[in-house]
Amino acid sequence: MKILLIEDEARIANFVCAGMAGRGYLMSHCSDGASGLQTALQRKHDLILLDVMLPELDGLSLLRQLRTQGILTPVILLTARNELQDRIEGLNLGADDYLAKPFFVEELAARIQAVQRRLSGDHQHLLQVGPLQLDRLNRQVRCHQQDIDLTSREFTLLEFLMRSDGQTLTRGQILEHVWGYDFDPSTNVVDVCIRRLRSKIAELDPDLSPIESVRGTGYRFRTGIAV
């Protein structure tokens, strides 16, 4: 597996390259956004590790250009812990995951493997469960071949649920990955968004109930649904 690391801090770059190379990955490294973009466009990689704060061209602008030019290589953002808006914007731009600094190389390796599992297959941009299909490339959701009009947040939430492989997700996990901040027990933003999603799906198929509530925990997306 070929990984491109775009990171300007030499200490972090050396740490990541050594750790990933020791696990059998083929590493390339660029220390600024401009050369990183050029390398990503000219050479094929299986995954990109992208720092948000880069000289010459910041990471989010780089990611935007990649997706605009049709480069669908999976991207994991490397961010500072307080860069909440950057994490949210990065996910909305098409990042596949993010990892807050500082981090352990073991966690980075686990994140890479998780992205590999989620995106394996011939149609990496398509997710389908029963009659419900989500197109990550065109940000389009259809049910029984009819479009469902979702907000950006609803789309991101549905994508996260569909990619969970039927695992139960806590409200805290959903908040962290979809909204980008830690769980506040007093907020009901997850439940409200789930209700809207259920309602929009039910408009096209009243019998389709893919999002299950798990009492006292959170939600689970049913994967065993017939087409």
Side-chain angles (χ1 to χ4, degrees):
M1 183 179 183
K2 297 179 181 179
I3 297 178
L4 172 62
L5 171 66
I6 307 176
E7 167 64 61
D8 64 316
E9 294 186 47
R11 179 182 59 83
I12 295 178
N14 292 336
F15 162 75
V16 170
C17 286
M20 293 299 99
R23 286 166 169 76
Y25 295 106
L26 299 176
M27 299 297 300
S28 300
H29 172 235
C30 295
S31 58
D32 64 78
S35 63
L37 176 61
Q38 184 178 18
T39 301
L41 291 174
Q42 292 179 347
R43 303 177 192 169
K44 180 176 174 56
H45 298 87
D46 299 299
L47 185 136
I48 297 173
L49 300 174
L50 177 60
D51 184 27
V52 171
M53 300 297 294
L54 289 168
E56 298 191 31
L57 180 68
D58 68 88
L60 295 182
S61 297
L62 191 159
L63 175 59
R64 183 181 292 107
Q65 291 195 41
L66 287 180
R67 296 305 187 235
T68 299
Q69 297 190 49
I71 304 299
L72 301 179
T73 305
V75 172
I76 297 178
L77 294 177
L78 306 178
T79 74
R81 290 191 181 278
N82 60 352
E83 293 172 347
L84 167 61
Q85 190 56 44
D86 287 342
R87 300 203 304 267
I88 294 174
E89 185 178 355
L91 291 171
N92 288 334
L93 285 172
D96 296 272
D97 202 351
Y98 68 84
L99 188 58
K101 299 177 182 178
F103 53 82
F104 293 100
V105 70
E106 291 82 2
E107 182 181 5
L108 175 58
R111 297 284 185 123
I112 291 172
Q113 291 168 6
V115 169
Q116 283 182 276
R117 288 194 300 270
R118 290 199 301 263
L119 299 181
S120 62
D122 295 331
H123 303 287
Q124 296 184 353
H125 65 286
L126 292 177
L127 299 173
Q128 181 154 357
V129 175
L132 193 63
Q133 184 184 76
L134 184 145
D135 186 333
R136 300 178 61 221
L137 178 60
N138 297 307
R139 296 189 69 81
Q140 180 184 54
V141 176
R142 311 194 79 193
C143 183
H144 296 296
Q145 304 304 313
Q146 298 182 65
D147 291 339
I148 301 178
D149 185 21
L150 300 181
T151 66
S152 177
R153 190 76 66 197
E154 290 166 351
F155 181 94
T156 303
L157 173 57
L158 180 60
E159 178 186 359
F160 183 49
L161 290 170
M162 292 181 73
R163 288 165 60 176
S164 66
D165 295 325
Q167 298 181 19
T168 298
L169 301 172
T170 67
R171 289 174 176 81
Q173 288 175 312
I174 295 172
L175 276 171
E176 174 69 18
H177 283 267
V178 178
W179 277 265
Y181 52 80
D182 295 332
F183 177 48
D184 176 1
S186 65
T187 185
N188 68 342
V189 64
V190 173
D191 305 289
V192 171
C193 202
I194 290 285
R195 284 199 297 269
R196 290 201 304 263
L197 266 180
R198 284 172 167 167
S199 176
K200 291 183 177 182
I201 293 171
E203 288 179 5
L204 295 182
D205 189 340
D207 297 323
L208 182 62
S209 303
I211 305 173
E212 297 180 330
S213 298
V214 180
R215 187 177 179 85
T217 303
Y219 296 95
R220 177 175 56 234
F221 195 90
R222 295 172 54 220
T223 56
I225 300 174
V227 178

